[in-house]
Amino acid sequence: MATDYDTPRKTDDDVDSDSIEELKARRNEKSSSNVDLDEIDNAEGLDLPGADLSNEELAVRVLPKQADEFTCTSCFLVHHRSQLAREKNGQPICRECD
């Protein structure tokens, strides 16, 4: 028999113990506007794709490729030597691209 995991897990005793007033109070608590305000506040810090970022500066420290790293010739990402899958025509290929 298939089980619907989305249905509420209440026994018959739980259903009988909930009064109408208690259920209405729960419904009113769930529909409060606090969630909506939080979503709006969080959305203010997001940038949309295609936004003008020409005046923004990044503070990221870039390290040169280390002796135990290689650049995959398929995805052009720098990986540690442990990620080397094989070499194709003398060019390194990472495990993700293999």
Side-chain angles (χ1 to χ4, degrees), residues 47 52-58:
D47 290 324
D52 182 22
L53 301 175
S54 59
N55 295 331
E56 296 292 324
E57 290 187 24
L58 296 177

Side-chain angles (χ1 to χ4, degrees), residues 32-46:
S32 68
S33 64
N34 291 342
V35 174
D36 297 336
L37 293 176
D38 291 340
E39 289 177 6
I40 292 170
D41 292 338
N42 290 338
E44 288 178 2
L46 298 176

